[in-house]
Amino acid sequence: MRFINPKIDFAFKKIFGSAQSNDILISFLNAILYEGRSIIESLEILDPYLAPQIAGVKNSYLDVKALLNDGTFVIIEMQVLKVQAFGKRVLYNAAKTYALQLTRGELYQQLRPVIALTITDFEMFSGHEDVISHFVFKERTRLSDYLQNDIELVFVELPKFKKELDQLENITDKWIYFIKTTGTLDEVPQTMATVPQIQKAFEIANEVSLTQDELNTLQQQEFFAQDQESSVAVGREEGRQEGRQQGRQEGRQQGRQEAQIELIMISLNRLLGELNPDIERRIQQLSSDQLENLVNAVWGFSNLEELSYWLEDNSQ
């Protein structure tokens, strides 16, 4: 067997965000958020695209969004590369999901809690070895909860998970192991297959269940992730060399930014066809933060017109 890698956006959405994934997502969220307890009984998987309702508000692209049976929204993002200001992006998406629940005339009492679950293939927080971290609003000195603790940030740092297959102790371990290793496995481990939802996740992740178009999309995203990682490494090295020669920090950022622009151009050409000179010029004029946002949005575009609209909204 060959399995798609859940750390790739398309694969993660296919496994956890498809129409047939409700039971998989319930099991996964109970394992990660509630230590395996059956707190979530049902949920509805929603469109993860957060369209702006207010002029000037940024678009947001998430991997999975769900409404739980108790009215809580859960947004999930799988992130492979540690990009600039990623922590701020997580907080922005959580706050935006919370704020955009209300339309004109609705009451604040109608706001429902939001949990932002972020899975990273890099370390977010140094100084401790906890794989899962939960952040909520606390009073600084007494550490008491805020009156309405409606926004919770949960992080799963995959590099901190060191357990091997024979060391898995509970369903939380098994789901994290699934995310981290499925792309390298050639069979379903027996200890994992005992959980029906994980067995079903493996069936969805089996490459033979994908169409040719889905396999092509997955391959493009894998190439993009690999190229992006290489461009970051090359850009850092070129920037360090230029920075040493010129005696200034800007060299490192410039080298990385140039490599990133080149990668984005290649990926967009693969996905949408040849870019016209105007779009290329507008991409080259983006700031480093705007380029990071474009990297996150690339696979949400289905044509050049959508890309052009994105550039209009995000290059102000």
Side-chain angles (χ1 to χ4, degrees), residues 134-152:
H134 297 254
F135 294 87
V136 294
F137 290 125
K138 294 282 187 180
E139 199 283 328
R140 180 177 296 176
T141 304
R142 299 187 303 275
L143 298 181
S144 56
D145 288 338
Y146 183 62
L147 293 174
Q148 299 293 327
N149 222 331
D150 276 1
I151 296 181
E152 180 177 0

Side-chain angles (χ1 to χ4, degrees), residues 24 36 119 221 289 292 314:
I24 294 173
I119 306 158
Q221 289 198 5
D289 284 347
E292 298 289 4
N314 292 270

